[in-house]
Structures are given as structure tokens and as C-alpha cells.
Amino acid sequence: MAMGRRAHVRELVKTALMTQPLLFTLPTLAANSLSLNPLLFNPLRPPPSLVASRSTVTMSPNKNDNGQDQLDAIFKQKRVVRSQVRKALKAMDPSLRSHEDIAVQDLVLGAPWFKSSQRLCAYISCSALREVDTSKLLSEILENPAKDGHMELRKKLYVPRVEDKNSHMRMLNISRIDDLIANSMDILEPASVDSDGNEREDVMQANDPVDLFILPGLAFDRTGRRLGRGGGYYDTFIRNYQELAKTKNWKQPLLVALSYSSQIMNEGVIPMTENDVPLDALVSPSGVIPISSAALDRTSV
């Protein structure tokens, strides 16, 4: 009976996520002198050190001409990489995509840092945006009480709600898939109030810390660099939460991104600024890549 309920919940999640239309697309730009092949991670190359350097380009408030030129070059390079990765994802065979979706989620579900997490923030995948599927993860989290019968063992899940176009996003608690509704752009997110009209718990006002963030993105590398879609929503939110955790003397959450094979770039391809937040770990179909010392410590938990 529990298996039937779990399969039903998983199917509801999958169906809801797969019916979202393509809405958030950026203009396709010319790839300039870069082709796709040199951008992609080559598994035959020796991998960089797991605890890698996370150098960024920092800009002072009073940018000189040279500094502004450097920043412009970074943004141009980001646009080039985004364009190339979108092309690769669009060309991805559906059967390969499905295989990698399952492989990535199974790796997460089996990871010590996921099993030990009590509270986490996770994105709701949108197939039209060609994000790694999270329907299996969501269903496992939301169906946990039916599996063990102990509500106190249930993981507490927070999912994103975009509030405006100024990189303002909140993470609100949900307890079932029915808590998700389509927003004005038909993207699934939690309503600000529950079915009883009560405000949903915002993770920024929660009394307890989050252990884990499951993050999306367009491109990644093995040194922890993450390239988003250009809105800055996740980087802004993570920085704010990290500051909150520091203020409350909480342990910082582990930042883990999910990636298709074609989204992993060679080291040095993805530029970073001081506003870009580095990852602790990356999960691809080939395995979990621990990057920071925190990830290395929690991999063996």
C-alpha cells in the first residue's frame, strides 16, 4: 500500500513538472570564436584538485575603465557559455535525458549528506527549461511519513517562490504536492498561504537552520563554479541565507547542484564575479563530485 501511494505521489509530481511550457529563455547569442567542444568537460583530462581554488573577479564601487571592461568581458563570456549549453541541452536525446535524470536523483537519494539532512531547500524542476528532474526527490521527501509512520522523521522541505523581477525569491515550506500552484507564467511554486489561509513558513524566518540546498543551473565545472540563467535569484538568496546563518551562529548549509553531463564545462570556461556563489558539490550522472572541505567531510558521514 505504501509503495502504491509513493508511486502515485511521484507520478503527480512528474506530471505537474512535465507540463510546464518554455517561458524563461534568454536571447540566443552568437558563439563568437568558441565552439561547444572546448567548453565541455573532457573526462580524459586529469581532474583538478577536489578542494579547488575559488578565485573571483572583485570590483570596487568606483570602477575604473579597465575594471568595467573586465566586467563587460565576463558578462559577454557568460552569454556565450549560456548560448552553447542551451544548444547542447536542446539537442539532448530524450532517452538519454531520462536516463541521466534517474541517475542523478538516485545518487542524491543515496548520498550521506541527503540522508542525514533534516531541513532542505530544493528547486522544482521545469522540463521546458531543461533542468535536471527533481520529481523523484520531491516525492521521496513528501511521501516519507507514509513510509515510516513517524512525522518527526520527515524532512522539512522549502521550495522557491519568485516575488518580483529584481532577484527577489523566497523559500517556503510545503508538505504535499498540492501545495504547488502555477504562477502567472505557469511555473509551479508554493502559494504564499496554505489551504487554511495561514502564511507559509519562510525559511528566512525559521527557528532552525537548513542543512542542504539542491540547486539548478545552466553550466558548472569541477571547481565549484555555477552559471545560472542570468536573473541572480539563487545567488542573491544564498548570500542572504549565508549571512543569516552567520548571524545566528548556524552551520552553513551544503550547496549541491544537479547537472546533466553536457552541462559540465572545462575548468576556466565559466567566469565568476564577487556576486557568484561557489558550490560545495556537484552531482552528475557519473557520480558525486565533492568540491569544498565541507562536502568532503559530509561525504563520509
Side-chain angles (χ1 to χ4, degrees):
M1 183 66 70
M3 288 295 293
R5 286 197 299 270
R6 191 155 60 249
H8 177 63
V9 171
R10 185 176 302 165
E11 185 61 29
L12 285 175
V13 177
K14 185 76 171 180
T15 300
L17 297 182
M18 291 295 288
T19 54
Q20 301 174 79
L22 179 58
L23 294 160
F24 293 116
T25 57
L26 297 176
T28 301
L29 301 174
N32 297 338
S33 60
L34 289 176
S35 63
L36 181 60
N37 288 340
L39 300 185
L40 293 176
F41 171 70
N42 182 351
L44 299 179
R45 291 180 58 203
S49 171
L50 288 178
V51 186
S53 171
R54 295 181 170 190
S55 60
T56 61
V57 174
T58 58
M59 306 298 295
S60 62
N62 298 318
K63 304 180 184 67
N64 55 33
D65 290 341
N66 183 56
Q68 186 60 52
D69 289 344
Q70 187 179 29
L71 198 58
D72 290 342
I74 288 174
F75 291 147
K76 182 178 180 180
Q77 172 71 355
K78 286 186 174 185
R79 291 194 296 268
V80 170
V81 177
R82 288 189 181 106
S83 177
Q84 294 285 16
V85 175
R86 284 195 182 93
K87 290 177 183 177
L89 291 175
K90 185 176 182 180
M92 191 175 181
D93 183 84
S95 61
L96 176 60
R97 183 188 305 277
S98 178
H99 172 77
E100 293 200 356
D101 281 333
I102 294 171
V104 170
Q105 291 179 94
D106 284 347
L107 284 166
V108 174
L109 290 170
W113 39 262
F114 177 80
K115 291 180 177 180
S116 64
S117 67
Q118 296 179 315
R119 292 164 294 277
L120 70 155
C121 294
Y123 73 94
I124 303 168
S125 59
C126 176
S127 62
L129 294 177
R130 302 183 176 93
E131 295 172 327
V132 174
D133 184 33
T134 55
S135 61
K136 185 176 182 179
L137 288 175
L138 294 177
S139 65
E140 288 291 328
I141 295 169
L142 297 175
E143 187 65 7
N144 189 56
K147 183 168 57 178
D148 55 38
H150 298 286
M151 289 297 292
E152 68 273 12
L153 299 179
R154 181 179 191 167
K155 295 181 187 298
K156 198 165 190 177
L157 176 64
Y158 299 88
V159 296
R161 175 183 170 87
V162 174
E163 297 295 341
D164 56 39
K165 296 181 179 180
N166 298 316
S167 303
H168 181 205
M169 180 178 76
R170 293 195 293 161
M171 288 280 184
L172 304 181
N173 176 236
I174 65 168
S175 57
R176 54 180 184 165
I177 192 59
D178 291 343
D179 291 341
L180 300 176
I181 60 173
N183 64 15
S184 61
M185 300 187 74
D186 287 332
I187 302 296
L188 289 177
E189 63 181 16
S192 59
V193 296
D194 62 22
S195 57
D196 296 323
N198 299 315
E199 288 286 331
R200 293 192 185 281
E201 184 180 54
D202 187 322
V203 74
M204 296 297 289
Q205 276 81 53
N207 294 324
D208 299 301
V210 165
D211 310 301
L212 176 65
F213 276 70
I214 302 292
L215 304 170
L218 257 183
F220 314 92
D221 71 17
R222 292 167 65 94
T223 70
R225 296 188 175 200
R226 171 189 170 273
L227 180 65
R229 297 180 181 275
Y233 288 94
Y234 279 92
D235 286 319
T236 300
F237 183 85
I238 293 169
R239 287 197 309 272
N240 289 339
Y241 189 85
Q242 288 176 331
E243 186 59 35
L244 174 69
K246 183 178 179 181
T247 300
K248 290 182 173 289
N249 200 30
W250 288 342
K251 185 176 182 179
Q252 292 291 343
L254 200 69
L255 307 180
V256 180
L258 310 187
S259 173
Y260 291 118
S261 299
S262 58
Q263 292 178 284
I264 302 180
M265 304 290 104
N266 280 329
E267 183 181 356
V269 169
I270 300 174
M272 288 187 75
T273 70
E274 60 186 356
N275 294 323
D276 297 318
V277 180
L279 300 170
D280 291 305
L282 179 63
V283 184
S284 76
S286 60
V288 178
I289 305 170
I291 298 165
S292 70
S293 57
L296 287 168
D297 291 340
R298 293 180 64 175
T299 297
S300 58
V301 171

